[in-house]
Amino acid sequence: MSTLENLFKDYNDEIMLHDSDYEIMREKRDLIIEEIRDNLDDLTFSVINLGSYKLKTGVKYKDKDYDIDCGIRLNISKSDLQDYDANKCKRAVYNAISNYRDKKFKTKCLTAIYQKDGDPNYHIDFPVFAYDSEISKYYLADGKQDNVEWVESKPEDLINYLYSSDTNYKRIVRLLKKWNNKAFANKPNYAKAPSVALTIEAKQWFEGNVYNNDLDTLIAIANRLRNLVSFDETSIYKQNPYSYDNLYYKMDSDEKYVKSFLEEVDKFYNTLIDAKNIKNKSLYECCNKLRKVFPDFPEPEKEESKDSFSRSAKYA
């Protein structure tokens, strides 16, 4: 007999990236890494896996390409940073990626894009770091073209903090990312929550609370997101514990993005509350409500949706 918790797990199985997906992504990543090695003069580097690729919290989207975060760790000591201009180093890595690929020079990283049938299929983000092995410190090449500087960062500390074998935590992260993609599909990208911010919110919730079920956990984290926004709804702030900057710096650049974010978070929270209020009466109607925030959320067999669910609800 279906329970809501089992349906959340079924949904997770449908949306998560599996080992075969990661293998394909790894092959794409390795091709570009070899290009960079072959074309990068006078600089040596190693790579560090970051983001959802490292955490195994990747999600399948119908209307969005998959992403890999892979740090390029240049072997440059702090004492030599003055001789290695951040803009030149980042530009050198950018130029080392073959020109026949679609690529972008972004503030926090470089992006290489793979296409399939004319549409983006995979994109790989390469943040560029200087790494001083003697003192184990990272410096991110941070900034847009011609305005890049070395900024101290702690990418490995962050990924080690976020890493977990807890399947409940990883499932909640995937659910949050799935909602985020649906909610902001037709809104400016700056209004969308960064995936790392959602992952941090989930991690901090799991550190301070006892997990009971997916729905209550999502309600609690949605409420955390609502409380990030200032009382006048014009500002939002969440410090990245390992880089010291505001995770929502793009959103916070304009209050219209903040208000758009709050609008969607409120919808998310209220929809989850509505689903909880009806789940003991009708599992079918509860799942129908959840499809407003989770596309293609499964539905139970109709014969289980009314009276039978009320008898089994205590196990959800």
Side-chain angles (χ1 to χ4, degrees):
M1 185 176 294
S2 296
T3 67
L4 183 57
E5 193 68 5
N6 286 338
L7 291 171
F8 268 116
K9 291 178 180 177
D10 291 343
Y11 186 54
N12 174 73
D13 290 342
E14 288 295 320
I15 66 174
M16 69 182 292
L17 293 175
H18 296 276
D19 288 343
S20 58
D21 300 302
Y22 286 111
E23 179 61 31
I24 294 172
M25 296 166 75
R26 184 160 49 249
E27 291 173 0
K28 306 292 188 185
R29 178 206 64 181
D30 290 347
L31 286 173
I32 299 182
I33 289 173
E34 286 309 306
E35 288 178 5
I36 297 173
R37 287 195 193 282
D38 292 342
N39 297 319
L40 194 62
D41 297 329
D42 303 324
L43 287 171
T44 61
F45 70 92
S46 55
V47 300
I48 50 172
N49 293 322
L50 303 169
S52 61
Y53 177 77
K54 175 67 174 180
L55 300 175
K56 296 296 186 287
T57 55
V59 173
K60 296 177 182 177
Y61 303 104
K62 289 184 178 180
D63 56 349
K64 180 183 174 184
D65 55 325
Y66 307 142
D67 70 291
I68 306 174
D69 294 291
C70 179
I72 299 296
R73 185 169 64 184
L74 302 174
N75 299 314
I76 302 174
S77 67
K78 183 178 181 181
S79 60
D80 290 333
L81 282 184
Q82 61 184 359
D83 298 323
Y84 288 89
D85 178 76
N87 192 72
K88 289 182 179 179
C89 288
K90 191 171 181 178
R91 169 58 64 178
V93 177
Y94 179 81
N95 290 338
I97 300 172
S98 296
N99 288 326
Y100 69 81
R101 300 191 186 282
D102 289 336
K103 55 185 181 179
K104 296 180 180 180
F105 195 114
K106 297 181 179 179
T107 302
K108 300 292 184 181
C109 66
L110 306 172
T111 298
I113 303 168
Y114 278 90
Q115 293 193 344
K116 182 178 181 181
D117 300 327
D119 294 318
N121 186 230
Y122 297 95
H123 77 264
I124 306 175
D125 290 332
F126 293 102
V128 177
F129 299 98
Y131 180 68
D132 188 337
S133 59
E134 292 184 4
I135 57 176
S136 300
K137 277 197 174 183
Y138 285 85
Y139 301 88
L140 174 67
D142 191 339
K144 296 182 179 180
Q145 296 187 52
D146 303 320
N147 189 29
V148 184
E149 61 181 353
W150 294 118
V151 176
E152 186 174 345
S153 185
K154 297 182 178 181
E156 286 192 318
D157 289 348
L158 177 60
I159 207 69
N160 289 337
Y161 167 68
L162 293 176
Y163 186 82
S164 174
S165 60
D166 187 336
T167 57
N168 294 324
Y169 160 67
K170 289 192 283 190
R171 187 172 62 255
I172 291 296
V173 170
R174 295 187 194 104
L175 291 167
L176 290 169
K177 291 168 70 173
K178 194 70 172 178
W179 156 75
N180 195 39
N181 186 66
K182 175 179 171 60
F184 296 95
N186 298 314
K187 290 180 175 287
N189 193 49
Y190 279 13
K192 186 177 182 180
S195 292
V196 64
L198 297 177
T199 307
I200 288 173
E201 289 295 342
K203 178 68 173 181
Q204 292 179 341
W205 186 89
F206 272 84
E207 286 181 322
N209 297 276
V210 176
Y211 170 83
N212 183 29
N213 61 68
D214 283 7
L215 183 56
D216 285 341
T217 301
L218 289 166
I219 289 171
I221 295 175
N223 196 43
R224 286 173 65 98
L225 294 172
R226 295 166 79 220
N227 291 329
L228 289 171
V229 180
S230 61
F231 288 112
D232 59 5
E233 299 181 7
T234 62
S235 182
I236 185 169
Y237 184 84
K238 178 75 175 187
Q239 180 176 305
N240 184 329
Y242 293 99
S243 67
Y244 314 112
D245 57 358
N246 182 9
L247 286 163
Y248 297 90
Y249 72 95
K250 290 183 179 180
M251 186 186 302
D252 209 35
S253 65
D254 193 316
E255 65 180 70
K256 69 182 179 184
Y257 301 135
V258 174
K259 290 183 177 180
S260 180
F261 172 76
L262 181 59
E263 176 183 303
E264 291 302 325
V265 171
D266 278 342
K267 288 180 183 177
F268 185 41
Y269 176 80
N270 290 328
T271 300
L272 295 174
I273 290 293
D274 288 345
K276 181 176 181 177
N277 288 339
I278 63 174
K279 79 182 186 74
N280 287 342
K281 297 178 182 178
S282 169
L283 179 57
Y284 182 82
E285 292 302 325
C286 174
C287 294
N288 190 47
K289 182 73 67 174
L290 288 172
R291 275 189 287 279
K292 292 184 178 181
V293 290
F294 298 123
D296 303 318
F297 191 85
E299 62 180 51
E301 296 178 6
K302 288 190 176 182
E303 60 266 27
E304 295 181 1
S305 64
K306 299 289 184 179
D307 295 338
S308 62
F309 178 68
S310 64
R311 293 193 298 271
S312 63
K314 64 180 180 179
Y315 299 111

